[in-house]
Amino acid sequence: MGECVEGLVDSQQVILFVKEGSATTWEEVLYLTAIPLPMGERATDDVTTVKDLFKREVAAGVISYAALELEGLYTSSGAGQAQRVKLTRYFNQGTCLDWMIMLPDTEKTTYDGCGTLGSLGPVRDSNKKFRTKLKLTISGEVKERQDGENVLDPTDTITLPTP
């Protein structure tokens, strides 16, 4: 019938880590229920002339990434509450955070970059437990890595956190 596709990665068990720029250890963000992956976008310019038969577009401007809109469980005690207080402090102070999303694959694929919390707060839906929503803005480049090595620049490596 059909062939199996190799290298597929399950979307469950994705982990987000954050740290202040000066810190040496990563901290896992607890109780997340939704983690989007970073998606870059680059503006294009339509350069189609009146003599062209097909539309022509070229890259223009800079590459930007949409903010990561995260959602997690709201906890009023324990480690989750302590972390929420720390994230609130980062939000209030405008702290720039390093972040890393780790996928659950054998190649140890990660995406990392830096940014600040653009929004943070509790949300209520009548048919759910309370949630915390946060928006992590992305500043600069997002790097894709496999086992800590940048796929575009093998000289750029980092030590991966232990989940």
Side-chain angles (χ1 to χ4, degrees), residues 15 68 87 111 122 129 155:
I15 302 170
L68 300 175
L87 290 173
Y111 295 92
K129 302 289 186 189
T155 62

Side-chain angles (χ1 to χ4, degrees), residues 22-93:
S22 60
T24 57
T25 58
W26 294 92
E27 180 179 357
E28 181 180 343
V29 179
L30 303 173
Y31 309 127
L32 288 177
T33 58
I35 304 175
L37 296 179
M39 179 187 266
E41 186 171 320
R42 182 178 206 143
T44 59
D45 187 16
D46 184 347
V47 294
T48 310
T49 68
V50 294
K51 292 183 178 183
D52 287 327
L53 181 59
F54 297 99
K55 183 176 182 175
R56 294 179 16 194
E57 290 199 27
V58 295
V62 298
I63 297 171
S64 64
Y65 289 86
L68 300 175
E69 305 244 357
L70 307 158
E71 185 175 292
L73 300 175
Y74 182 98
T75 56
S76 59
S77 62
Q81 191 269 345
Q83 186 175 73
R84 190 168 39 78
V85 168
K86 184 187 286 188
L87 290 173
T88 301
R89 191 172 296 117
Y90 292 153
F91 173 67
N92 291 345
Q93 295 172 352

Side-chain angles (χ1 to χ4, degrees), residues 107-123:
E107 284 75 22
K108 299 180 183 170
T109 303
T110 59
Y111 295 92
D112 65 90
C114 67
T116 57
L117 292 174
S119 65
L120 172 72
V123 292

